[in-house]
PDB file of all heavy atoms in Angstrom:
ATOM      1  N   GLY A  18      38.036  45.215   6.300  1.00  0.00           N
ATOM      2  CA  GLY A  18      39.364  44.843   5.828  1.00  0.00           C
ATOM      3  C   GLY A  18      40.394  45.946   6.053  1.00  0.00           C
ATOM      4  O   GLY A  18      40.332  46.708   7.019  1.00  0.00           O
ATOM      5  N   THR A  19      41.311  46.053   5.108  1.00  0.00           N
ATOM      6  CA  THR A  19      42.390  47.039   5.185  1.00  0.00           C
ATOM      7  C   THR A  19      41.903  48.408   4.716  1.00  0.00           C
ATOM      8  O   THR A  19      41.200  48.505   3.713  1.00  0.00           O
ATOM      9  CB  THR A  19      43.569  46.592   4.303  1.00  0.00           C
ATOM     10  OG1 THR A  19      44.032  45.312   4.749  1.00  0.00           O
ATOM     11  CG2 THR A  19      44.708  47.599   4.363  1.00  0.00           C
ATOM     12  N   LYS A  20      42.264  49.440   5.404  1.00  0.00           N
ATOM     13  CA  LYS A  20      41.946  50.790   4.948  1.00  0.00           C
ATOM     14  C   LYS A  20      42.911  51.156   3.828  1.00  0.00           C
ATOM     15  O   LYS A  20      44.138  51.128   4.006  1.00  0.00           O
ATOM     16  CB  LYS A  20      42.071  51.800   6.084  1.00  0.00           C
ATOM     17  CG  LYS A  20      41.695  53.216   5.664  1.00  0.00           C
ATOM     18  CD  LYS A  20      41.739  54.192   6.837  1.00  0.00           C
ATOM     19  CE  LYS A  20      41.327  55.589   6.391  1.00  0.00           C
ATOM     20  NZ  LYS A  20      41.326  56.556   7.507  1.00  0.00           N
ATOM     21  N   GLY A  21      42.366  51.455   2.661  1.00  0.00           N
ATOM     22  CA  GLY A  21      43.208  51.798   1.521  1.00  0.00           C
ATOM     23  C   GLY A  21      42.783  51.030   0.290  1.00  0.00           C
ATOM     24  O   GLY A  21      41.594  50.783   0.081  1.00  0.00           O
ATOM     25  N   ASN A  22      43.761  50.657  -0.531  1.00  0.00           N
ATOM     26  CA  ASN A  22      43.444  49.978  -1.789  1.00  0.00           C
ATOM     27  C   ASN A  22      43.893  48.512  -1.748  1.00  0.00           C
ATOM     28  O   ASN A  22      44.405  48.033  -0.727  1.00  0.00           O
ATOM     29  CB  ASN A  22      44.086  50.721  -2.964  1.00  0.00           C
ATOM     30  CG  ASN A  22      45.604  50.844  -2.825  1.00  0.00           C
ATOM     31  OD1 ASN A  22      46.289  49.917  -2.400  1.00  0.00           O
ATOM     32  ND2 ASN A  22      46.141  52.006  -3.184  1.00  0.00           N
ATOM     33  N   VAL A  23      43.732  47.825  -2.869  1.00  0.00           N
ATOM     34  CA  VAL A  23      44.018  46.388  -2.912  1.00  0.00           C
ATOM     35  C   VAL A  23      45.502  46.092  -2.663  1.00  0.00           C
ATOM     36  O   VAL A  23      45.837  45.079  -2.038  1.00  0.00           O
ATOM     37  CB  VAL A  23      43.556  45.770  -4.243  1.00  0.00           C
ATOM     38  CG1 VAL A  23      42.029  45.744  -4.321  1.00  0.00           C
ATOM     39  CG2 VAL A  23      44.159  46.517  -5.445  1.00  0.00           C
ATOM     40  N   LEU A  24      46.391  46.956  -3.131  1.00  0.00           N
ATOM     41  CA  LEU A  24      47.817  46.734  -2.881  1.00  0.00           C
ATOM     42  C   LEU A  24      48.155  46.950  -1.404  1.00  0.00           C
ATOM     43  O   LEU A  24      49.032  46.275  -0.859  1.00  0.00           O
ATOM     44  CB  LEU A  24      48.659  47.640  -3.768  1.00  0.00           C
ATOM     45  CG  LEU A  24      48.641  47.301  -5.264  1.00  0.00           C
ATOM     46  CD1 LEU A  24      49.509  48.288  -6.045  1.00  0.00           C
ATOM     47  CD2 LEU A  24      49.114  45.871  -5.510  1.00  0.00           C
ATOM     48  N   ASP A  25      47.445  47.868  -0.769  1.00  0.00           N
ATOM     49  CA  ASP A  25      47.624  48.033   0.679  1.00  0.00           C
ATOM     50  C   ASP A  25      47.241  46.747   1.405  1.00  0.00           C
ATOM     51  O   ASP A  25      47.903  46.341   2.364  1.00  0.00           O
ATOM     52  CB  ASP A  25      46.769  49.198   1.194  1.00  0.00           C
ATOM     53  CG  ASP A  25      47.239  50.545   0.687  1.00  0.00           C
ATOM     54  OD1 ASP A  25      48.466  50.721   0.533  1.00  0.00           O
ATOM     55  OD2 ASP A  25      46.383  51.418   0.427  1.00  0.00           O
ATOM     56  N   ALA A  26      46.164  46.101   0.943  1.00  0.00           N
ATOM     57  CA  ALA A  26      45.714  44.846   1.559  1.00  0.00           C
ATOM     58  C   ALA A  26      46.748  43.744   1.366  1.00  0.00           C
ATOM     59  O   ALA A  26      46.999  42.938   2.270  1.00  0.00           O
ATOM     60  CB  ALA A  26      44.367  44.430   0.974  1.00  0.00           C
ATOM     61  N   ILE A  27      47.344  43.695   0.175  1.00  0.00           N
ATOM     62  CA  ILE A  27      48.378  42.686  -0.091  1.00  0.00           C
ATOM     63  C   ILE A  27      49.577  42.894   0.818  1.00  0.00           C
ATOM     64  O   ILE A  27      50.089  41.955   1.444  1.00  0.00           O
ATOM     65  CB  ILE A  27      48.802  42.741  -1.567  1.00  0.00           C
ATOM     66  CG1 ILE A  27      47.667  42.192  -2.454  1.00  0.00           C
ATOM     67  CG2 ILE A  27      50.081  41.947  -1.807  1.00  0.00           C
ATOM     68  CD1 ILE A  27      47.907  42.357  -3.937  1.00  0.00           C
ATOM     69  N   ARG A  28      50.016  44.127   0.930  1.00  0.00           N
ATOM     70  CA  ARG A  28      51.196  44.423   1.742  1.00  0.00           C
ATOM     71  C   ARG A  28      50.906  44.251   3.236  1.00  0.00           C
ATOM     72  O   ARG A  28      51.732  43.723   3.983  1.00  0.00           O
ATOM     73  CB  ARG A  28      51.683  45.842   1.452  1.00  0.00           C
ATOM     74  CG  ARG A  28      52.173  46.034   0.015  1.00  0.00           C
ATOM     75  CD  ARG A  28      52.727  47.427  -0.201  1.00  0.00           C
ATOM     76  NE  ARG A  28      53.247  47.615  -1.546  1.00  0.00           N
ATOM     77  CZ  ARG A  28      52.679  48.373  -2.486  1.00  0.00           C
ATOM     78  NH1 ARG A  28      51.556  49.043  -2.214  1.00  0.00           N
ATOM     79  NH2 ARG A  28      53.213  48.491  -3.684  1.00  0.00           N
ATOM     80  N   CYS A  29      49.729  44.701   3.663  1.00  0.00           N
ATOM     81  CA  CYS A  29      49.368  44.623   5.069  1.00  0.00           C
ATOM     82  C   CYS A  29      49.293  43.175   5.544  1.00  0.00           C
ATOM     83  O   CYS A  29      49.681  42.847   6.671  1.00  0.00           O
ATOM     84  CB  CYS A  29      48.029  45.322   5.295  1.00  0.00           C
ATOM     85  SG  CYS A  29      47.468  45.323   7.018  1.00  0.00           S
ATOM     86  N   ASN A  30      48.792  42.299   4.664  1.00  0.00           N
ATOM     87  CA  ASN A  30      48.652  40.884   5.015  1.00  0.00           C
ATOM     88  C   ASN A  30      49.843  40.039   4.576  1.00  0.00           C
ATOM     89  O   ASN A  30      49.818  38.817   4.705  1.00  0.00           O
ATOM     90  CB  ASN A  30      47.366  40.328   4.399  1.00  0.00           C
ATOM     91  CG  ASN A  30      46.117  40.900   5.026  1.00  0.00           C
ATOM     92  OD1 ASN A  30      45.719  40.492   6.113  1.00  0.00           O
ATOM     93  ND2 ASN A  30      45.498  41.865   4.351  1.00  0.00           N
ATOM     94  N   GLN A  31      50.875  40.692   4.037  1.00  0.00           N
ATOM     95  CA  GLN A  31      52.117  40.028   3.614  1.00  0.00           C
ATOM     96  C   GLN A  31      51.832  38.838   2.686  1.00  0.00           C
ATOM     97  O   GLN A  31      52.354  37.742   2.870  1.00  0.00           O
ATOM     98  CB  GLN A  31      52.920  39.578   4.841  1.00  0.00           C
ATOM     99  CG  GLN A  31      53.331  40.734   5.743  1.00  0.00           C
ATOM    100  CD  GLN A  31      54.151  40.297   6.940  1.00  0.00           C
ATOM    101  OE1 GLN A  31      53.909  39.243   7.520  1.00  0.00           O
ATOM    102  NE2 GLN A  31      55.145  41.102   7.304  1.00  0.00           N
ATOM    103  N   LEU A  32      51.012  39.092   1.688  1.00  0.00           N
ATOM    104  CA  LEU A  32      50.620  38.043   0.762  1.00  0.00           C
ATOM    105  C   LEU A  32      51.649  37.882  -0.349  1.00  0.00           C
ATOM    106  O   LEU A  32      52.302  38.852  -0.760  1.00  0.00           O
ATOM    107  CB  LEU A  32      49.249  38.371   0.148  1.00  0.00           C
ATOM    108  CG  LEU A  32      48.105  38.630   1.143  1.00  0.00           C
ATOM    109  CD1 LEU A  32      46.821  38.949   0.398  1.00  0.00           C
ATOM    110  CD2 LEU A  32      47.923  37.453   2.082  1.00  0.00           C
ATOM    111  N   GLU A  33      51.758  36.661  -0.860  1.00  0.00           N
ATOM    112  CA  GLU A  33      52.680  36.370  -1.949  1.00  0.00           C
ATOM    113  C   GLU A  33      51.994  35.471  -2.970  1.00  0.00           C
ATOM    114  O   GLU A  33      51.144  34.654  -2.619  1.00  0.00           O
ATOM    115  CB  GLU A  33      53.950  35.688  -1.431  1.00  0.00           C
ATOM    116  CG  GLU A  33      54.792  36.553  -0.515  1.00  0.00           C
ATOM    117  CD  GLU A  33      56.060  35.850  -0.057  1.00  0.00           C
ATOM    118  OE1 GLU A  33      56.176  34.623  -0.313  1.00  0.00           O
ATOM    119  OE2 GLU A  33      56.920  36.512   0.542  1.00  0.00           O
ATOM    120  N   ALA A  34      52.383  35.630  -4.233  1.00  0.00           N
ATOM    121  CA  ALA A  34      51.831  34.797  -5.296  1.00  0.00           C
ATOM    122  C   ALA A  34      52.794  34.804  -6.478  1.00  0.00           C
ATOM    123  O   ALA A  34      53.803  35.525  -6.479  1.00  0.00           O
ATOM    124  CB  ALA A  34      50.458  35.302  -5.727  1.00  0.00           C
ATOM    125  N   GLU A  35      52.462  33.987  -7.491  1.00  0.00           N
ATOM    126  CA  GLU A  35      53.285  33.898  -8.699  1.00  0.00           C
ATOM    127  C   GLU A  35      52.655  34.608  -9.886  1.00  0.00           C
ATOM    128  O   GLU A  35      53.349  35.018 -10.811  1.00  0.00           O
ATOM    129  CB  GLU A  35      53.508  32.429  -9.059  1.00  0.00           C
ATOM    130  CG  GLU A  35      54.222  31.621  -8.007  1.00  0.00           C
ATOM    131  CD  GLU A  35      54.200  30.144  -8.330  1.00  0.00           C
ATOM    132  OE1 GLU A  35      53.194  29.476  -8.007  1.00  0.00           O
ATOM    133  OE2 GLU A  35      55.193  29.648  -8.917  1.00  0.00           O
ATOM    134  N   VAL A  36      51.337  34.722  -9.873  1.00  0.00           N
ATOM    135  CA  VAL A  36      50.637  35.339 -10.998  1.00  0.00           C
ATOM    136  C   VAL A  36      49.509  36.210 -10.469  1.00  0.00           C
ATOM    137  O   VAL A  36      48.913  35.919  -9.422  1.00  0.00           O
ATOM    138  CB  VAL A  36      50.082  34.255 -11.960  1.00  0.00           C
ATOM    139  CG1 VAL A  36      49.107  33.333 -11.243  1.00  0.00           C
ATOM    140  CG2 VAL A  36      49.400  34.883 -13.185  1.00  0.00           C
ATOM    141  N   ILE A  37      49.251  37.298 -11.188  1.00  0.00           N
ATOM    142  CA  ILE A  37      48.164  38.213 -10.835  1.00  0.00           C
ATOM    143  C   ILE A  37      47.123  38.208 -11.944  1.00  0.00           C
ATOM    144  O   ILE A  37      47.453  38.275 -13.134  1.00  0.00           O
ATOM    145  CB  ILE A  37      48.675  39.658 -10.658  1.00  0.00           C
ATOM    146  CG1 ILE A  37      49.636  39.751  -9.469  1.00  0.00           C
ATOM    147  CG2 ILE A  37      47.509  40.632 -10.458  1.00  0.00           C
ATOM    148  CD1 ILE A  37      50.276  41.125  -9.310  1.00  0.00           C
ATOM    149  N   TYR A  38      45.861  38.124 -11.539  1.00  0.00           N
ATOM    150  CA  TYR A  38      44.730  38.358 -12.436  1.00  0.00           C
ATOM    151  C   TYR A  38      43.953  39.533 -11.853  1.00  0.00           C
ATOM    152  O   TYR A  38      43.601  39.515 -10.670  1.00  0.00           O
ATOM    153  CB  TYR A  38      43.795  37.151 -12.495  1.00  0.00           C
ATOM    154  CG  TYR A  38      44.424  35.859 -12.963  1.00  0.00           C
ATOM    155  CD1 TYR A  38      44.884  34.916 -12.053  1.00  0.00           C
ATOM    156  CD2 TYR A  38      44.513  35.559 -14.316  1.00  0.00           C
ATOM    157  CE1 TYR A  38      45.436  33.720 -12.474  1.00  0.00           C
ATOM    158  CE2 TYR A  38      45.062  34.364 -14.754  1.00  0.00           C
ATOM    159  CZ  TYR A  38      45.525  33.444 -13.828  1.00  0.00           C
ATOM    160  OH  TYR A  38      46.062  32.254 -14.257  1.00  0.00           O
ATOM    161  N   ALA A  39      43.678  40.558 -12.670  1.00  0.00           N
ATOM    162  CA  ALA A  39      43.049  41.754 -12.105  1.00  0.00           C
ATOM    163  C   ALA A  39      42.046  42.378 -13.063  1.00  0.00           C
ATOM    164  O   ALA A  39      42.207  42.328 -14.280  1.00  0.00           O
ATOM    165  CB  ALA A  39      44.114  42.785 -11.740  1.00  0.00           C
ATOM    166  N   CYS A  40      41.010  42.965 -12.481  1.00  0.00           N
ATOM    167  CA  CYS A  40      40.027  43.733 -13.250  1.00  0.00           C
ATOM    168  C   CYS A  40      39.524  44.854 -12.361  1.00  0.00           C
ATOM    169  O   CYS A  40      39.221  44.646 -11.181  1.00  0.00           O
ATOM    170  CB  CYS A  40      38.858  42.835 -13.679  1.00  0.00           C
ATOM    171  SG  CYS A  40      37.638  43.679 -14.716  1.00  0.00           S
ATOM    172  N   GLY A  41      39.453  46.052 -12.946  1.00  0.00           N
ATOM    173  CA  GLY A  41      38.994  47.186 -12.164  1.00  0.00           C
ATOM    174  C   GLY A  41      39.301  48.495 -12.865  1.00  0.00           C
ATOM    175  O   GLY A  41      39.676  48.520 -14.045  1.00  0.00           O
ATOM    176  N   PRO A  42      39.190  49.600 -12.154  1.00  0.00           N
ATOM    177  CA  PRO A  42      39.427  50.915 -12.756  1.00  0.00           C
ATOM    178  C   PRO A  42      40.888  51.081 -13.168  1.00  0.00           C
ATOM    179  O   PRO A  42      41.787  50.447 -12.620  1.00  0.00           O
ATOM    180  CB  PRO A  42      39.030  51.893 -11.650  1.00  0.00           C
ATOM    181  CG  PRO A  42      39.122  51.100 -10.387  1.00  0.00           C
ATOM    182  CD  PRO A  42      38.759  49.696 -10.744  1.00  0.00           C
ATOM    183  N   LEU A  43      41.113  51.968 -14.129  1.00  0.00           N
ATOM    184  CA  LEU A  43      42.441  52.148 -14.708  1.00  0.00           C
ATOM    185  C   LEU A  43      43.527  52.496 -13.692  1.00  0.00           C
ATOM    186  O   LEU A  43      44.623  51.920 -13.755  1.00  0.00           O
ATOM    187  CB  LEU A  43      42.382  53.210 -15.818  1.00  0.00           C
ATOM    188  CG  LEU A  43      43.603  53.313 -16.726  1.00  0.00           C
ATOM    189  CD1 LEU A  43      43.863  51.989 -17.437  1.00  0.00           C
ATOM    190  CD2 LEU A  43      43.410  54.437 -17.744  1.00  0.00           C
ATOM    191  N   PRO A  44      43.293  53.405 -12.744  1.00  0.00           N
ATOM    192  CA  PRO A  44      44.360  53.694 -11.774  1.00  0.00           C
ATOM    193  C   PRO A  44      44.777  52.451 -10.987  1.00  0.00           C
ATOM    194  O   PRO A  44      45.963  52.282 -10.680  1.00  0.00           O
ATOM    195  CB  PRO A  44      43.725  54.758 -10.872  1.00  0.00           C
ATOM    196  CG  PRO A  44      42.692  55.411 -11.729  1.00  0.00           C
ATOM    197  CD  PRO A  44      42.134  54.306 -12.577  1.00  0.00           C
ATOM    198  N   MET A  45      43.813  51.597 -10.654  1.00  0.00           N
ATOM    199  CA  MET A  45      44.133  50.360  -9.945  1.00  0.00           C
ATOM    200  C   MET A  45      44.978  49.443 -10.813  1.00  0.00           C
ATOM    201  O   MET A  45      45.987  48.890 -10.361  1.00  0.00           O
ATOM    202  CB  MET A  45      42.842  49.638  -9.525  1.00  0.00           C
ATOM    203  CG  MET A  45      43.079  48.410  -8.671  1.00  0.00           C
ATOM    204  SD  MET A  45      41.612  47.350  -8.489  1.00  0.00           S
ATOM    205  CE  MET A  45      41.830  46.260  -9.924  1.00  0.00           C
ATOM    206  N   LEU A  46      44.602  49.284 -12.084  1.00  0.00           N
ATOM    207  CA  LEU A  46      45.346  48.413 -12.985  1.00  0.00           C
ATOM    208  C   LEU A  46      46.757  48.941 -13.220  1.00  0.00           C
ATOM    209  O   LEU A  46      47.713  48.161 -13.317  1.00  0.00           O
ATOM    210  CB  LEU A  46      44.605  48.279 -14.317  1.00  0.00           C
ATOM    211  CG  LEU A  46      43.232  47.596 -14.273  1.00  0.00           C
ATOM    212  CD1 LEU A  46      42.642  47.518 -15.670  1.00  0.00           C
ATOM    213  CD2 LEU A  46      43.314  46.212 -13.650  1.00  0.00           C
ATOM    214  N   ARG A  47      46.890  50.249 -13.314  1.00  0.00           N
ATOM    215  CA  ARG A  47      48.218  50.850 -13.514  1.00  0.00           C
ATOM    216  C   ARG A  47      49.121  50.548 -12.318  1.00  0.00           C
ATOM    217  O   ARG A  47      50.290  50.168 -12.478  1.00  0.00           O
ATOM    218  CB  ARG A  47      48.075  52.354 -13.710  1.00  0.00           C
ATOM    219  CG  ARG A  47      49.386  53.059 -14.043  1.00  0.00           C
ATOM    220  CD  ARG A  47      49.185  54.547 -14.222  1.00  0.00           C
ATOM    221  NE  ARG A  47      48.315  54.843 -15.350  1.00  0.00           N
ATOM    222  CZ  ARG A  47      47.130  55.452 -15.245  1.00  0.00           C
ATOM    223  NH1 ARG A  47      46.671  55.813 -14.053  1.00  0.00           N
ATOM    224  NH2 ARG A  47      46.408  55.690 -16.308  1.00  0.00           N
ATOM    225  N   ALA A  48      48.572  50.674 -11.120  1.00  0.00           N
ATOM    226  CA  ALA A  48      49.355  50.399  -9.915  1.00  0.00           C
ATOM    227  C   ALA A  48      49.713  48.915  -9.821  1.00  0.00           C
ATOM    228  O   ALA A  48      50.830  48.560  -9.426  1.00  0.00           O
ATOM    229  CB  ALA A  48      48.567  50.836  -8.676  1.00  0.00           C
ATOM    230  N   ILE A  49      48.789  48.052 -10.219  1.00  0.00           N
ATOM    231  CA  ILE A  49      49.044  46.609 -10.182  1.00  0.00           C
ATOM    232  C   ILE A  49      50.105  46.226 -11.214  1.00  0.00           C
ATOM    233  O   ILE A  49      50.979  45.389 -10.948  1.00  0.00           O
ATOM    234  CB  ILE A  49      47.736  45.832 -10.416  1.00  0.00           C
ATOM    235  CG1 ILE A  49      46.830  45.969  -9.187  1.00  0.00           C
ATOM    236  CG2 ILE A  49      48.010  44.353 -10.710  1.00  0.00           C
ATOM    237  CD1 ILE A  49      45.436  45.431  -9.388  1.00  0.00           C
ATOM    238  N   LYS A  50      50.043  46.832 -12.387  1.00  0.00           N
ATOM    239  CA  LYS A  50      51.063  46.565 -13.407  1.00  0.00           C
ATOM    240  C   LYS A  50      52.448  46.925 -12.875  1.00  0.00           C
ATOM    241  O   LYS A  50      53.412  46.156 -13.042  1.00  0.00           O
ATOM    242  CB  LYS A  50      50.755  47.359 -14.680  1.00  0.00           C
ATOM    243  CG  LYS A  50      51.825  47.203 -15.756  1.00  0.00           C
ATOM    244  CD  LYS A  50      51.541  48.053 -16.986  1.00  0.00           C
ATOM    245  CE  LYS A  50      52.683  47.934 -17.992  1.00  0.00           C
ATOM    246  NZ  LYS A  50      52.441  48.739 -19.209  1.00  0.00           N
ATOM    247  N   ASN A  51      52.565  48.073 -12.241  1.00  0.00           N
ATOM    248  CA  ASN A  51      53.855  48.502 -11.688  1.00  0.00           C
ATOM    249  C   ASN A  51      54.312  47.568 -10.566  1.00  0.00           C
ATOM    250  O   ASN A  51      55.497  47.231 -10.467  1.00  0.00           O
ATOM    251  CB  ASN A  51      53.755  49.940 -11.177  1.00  0.00           C
ATOM    252  CG  ASN A  51      53.556  50.948 -12.297  1.00  0.00           C
ATOM    253  OD1 ASN A  51      53.909  50.686 -13.443  1.00  0.00           O
ATOM    254  ND2 ASN A  51      52.991  52.093 -11.969  1.00  0.00           N
ATOM    255  N   TYR A  52      53.369  47.135  -9.733  1.00  0.00           N
ATOM    256  CA  TYR A  52      53.687  46.213  -8.645  1.00  0.00           C
ATOM    257  C   TYR A  52      54.194  44.889  -9.205  1.00  0.00           C
ATOM    258  O   TYR A  52      55.190  44.332  -8.719  1.00  0.00           O
ATOM    259  CB  TYR A  52      52.443  45.992  -7.796  1.00  0.00           C
ATOM    260  CG  TYR A  52      52.588  44.931  -6.723  1.00  0.00           C
ATOM    261  CD1 TYR A  52      53.133  45.245  -5.480  1.00  0.00           C
ATOM    262  CD2 TYR A  52      52.165  43.629  -6.951  1.00  0.00           C
ATOM    263  CE1 TYR A  52      53.271  44.275  -4.489  1.00  0.00           C
ATOM    264  CE2 TYR A  52      52.301  42.654  -5.974  1.00  0.00           C
ATOM    265  CZ  TYR A  52      52.840  42.979  -4.741  1.00  0.00           C
ATOM    266  OH  TYR A  52      52.975  42.007  -3.778  1.00  0.00           O
ATOM    267  N   ALA A  53      53.520  44.371 -10.245  1.00  0.00           N
ATOM    268  CA  ALA A  53      53.919  43.097 -10.861  1.00  0.00           C
ATOM    269  C   ALA A  53      55.320  43.193 -11.462  1.00  0.00           C
ATOM    270  O   ALA A  53      56.126  42.268 -11.347  1.00  0.00           O
ATOM    271  CB  ALA A  53      52.909  42.693 -11.925  1.00  0.00           C
ATOM    272  N   ALA A  54      55.612  44.323 -12.103  1.00  0.00           N
ATOM    273  CA  ALA A  54      56.942  44.513 -12.691  1.00  0.00           C
ATOM    274  C   ALA A  54      58.011  44.562 -11.604  1.00  0.00           C
ATOM    275  O   ALA A  54      59.094  43.981 -11.742  1.00  0.00           O
ATOM    276  CB  ALA A  54      56.964  45.796 -13.518  1.00  0.00           C
ATOM    277  N   GLU A  55      57.684  45.235 -10.516  1.00  0.00           N
ATOM    278  CA  GLU A  55      58.621  45.346  -9.387  1.00  0.00           C
ATOM    279  C   GLU A  55      58.916  43.971  -8.778  1.00  0.00           C
ATOM    280  O   GLU A  55      60.054  43.673  -8.394  1.00  0.00           O
ATOM    281  CB  GLU A  55      58.016  46.270  -8.330  1.00  0.00           C
ATOM    282  CG  GLU A  55      58.804  46.376  -7.045  1.00  0.00           C
ATOM    283  CD  GLU A  55      58.019  47.108  -5.972  1.00  0.00           C
ATOM    284  OE1 GLU A  55      57.200  47.983  -6.322  1.00  0.00           O
ATOM    285  OE2 GLU A  55      58.217  46.805  -4.784  1.00  0.00           O
ATOM    286  N   LYS A  56      57.878  43.119  -8.715  1.00  0.00           N
ATOM    287  CA  LYS A  56      58.011  41.799  -8.099  1.00  0.00           C
ATOM    288  C   LYS A  56      58.351  40.707  -9.119  1.00  0.00           C
ATOM    289  O   LYS A  56      58.465  39.534  -8.752  1.00  0.00           O
ATOM    290  CB  LYS A  56      56.698  41.420  -7.393  1.00  0.00           C
ATOM    291  CG  LYS A  56      56.290  42.369  -6.270  1.00  0.00           C
ATOM    292  CD  LYS A  56      57.244  42.284  -5.105  1.00  0.00           C
ATOM    293  CE  LYS A  56      56.752  43.151  -3.947  1.00  0.00           C
ATOM    294  NZ  LYS A  56      57.672  43.077  -2.780  1.00  0.00           N
ATOM    295  N   ASN A  57      58.481  41.098 -10.403  1.00  0.00           N
ATOM    296  CA  ASN A  57      58.777  40.138 -11.466  1.00  0.00           C
ATOM    297  C   ASN A  57      57.714  39.044 -11.540  1.00  0.00           C
ATOM    298  O   ASN A  57      58.016  37.848 -11.619  1.00  0.00           O
ATOM    299  CB  ASN A  57      60.163  39.519 -11.279  1.00  0.00           C
ATOM    300  CG  ASN A  57      60.663  38.842 -12.539  1.00  0.00           C
ATOM    301  OD1 ASN A  57      60.307  39.221 -13.658  1.00  0.00           O
ATOM    302  ND2 ASN A  57      61.482  37.813 -12.386  1.00  0.00           N
ATOM    303  N   MET A  58      56.444  39.463 -11.519  1.00  0.00           N
ATOM    304  CA  MET A  58      55.316  38.527 -11.535  1.00  0.00           C
ATOM    305  C   MET A  58      54.607  38.551 -12.885  1.00  0.00           C
ATOM    306  O   MET A  58      54.542  39.600 -13.544  1.00  0.00           O
ATOM    307  CB  MET A  58      54.304  38.892 -10.438  1.00  0.00           C
ATOM    308  CG  MET A  58      54.834  38.775  -9.032  1.00  0.00           C
ATOM    309  SD  MET A  58      53.625  39.371  -7.818  1.00  0.00           S
ATOM    310  CE  MET A  58      52.337  38.125  -8.005  1.00  0.00           C
ATOM    311  N   ILE A  59      54.061  37.428 -13.285  1.00  0.00           N
ATOM    312  CA  ILE A  59      53.162  37.380 -14.440  1.00  0.00           C
ATOM    313  C   ILE A  59      51.891  38.124 -14.050  1.00  0.00           C
ATOM    314  O   ILE A  59      51.366  37.939 -12.946  1.00  0.00           O
ATOM    315  CB  ILE A  59      52.820  35.929 -14.812  1.00  0.00           C
ATOM    316  CG1 ILE A  59      54.080  35.121 -15.103  1.00  0.00           C
ATOM    317  CG2 ILE A  59      51.878  35.889 -16.017  1.00  0.00           C
ATOM    318  CD1 ILE A  59      53.832  33.628 -15.190  1.00  0.00           C
ATOM    319  N   CYS A  60      51.384  38.965 -14.942  1.00  0.00           N
ATOM    320  CA  CYS A  60      50.214  39.776 -14.602  1.00  0.00           C
ATOM    321  C   CYS A  60      49.268  39.895 -15.791  1.00  0.00           C
ATOM    322  O   CYS A  60      49.673  40.340 -16.870  1.00  0.00           O
ATOM    323  CB  CYS A  60      50.661  41.164 -14.143  1.00  0.00           C
ATOM    324  SG  CYS A  60      49.310  42.263 -13.668  1.00  0.00           S
TER     325      CYS A  60
END
């Protein structure tokens, strides 16, 4: 897949959604929370 993290994969594949469901290590969740706030997504 994409070299990097899950957000790199989302950006690299130009993915879009309305809601995020996530589970994983704290740094990943922190980055996803910030991404959701930036995109105004339910998370």
Side-chain angles (χ1 to χ4, degrees):
T19 301
K20 182 176 181 179
N22 58 40
V23 290
L24 290 179
D25 292 325
I27 289 173
R28 296 184 178 109
C29 181
N30 292 282
Q31 299 181 323
L32 305 180
E33 295 182 350
E35 299 170 276
V36 60
I37 295 175
Y38 301 96
C40 183
L43 193 59
M45 185 193 89
L46 296 181
R47 185 180 297 117
I49 289 171
K50 176 183 176 180
N51 293 336
Y52 173 85
E55 174 190 330
K56 299 292 185 180
N57 196 29
M58 296 175 67
I59 303 168
C60 181

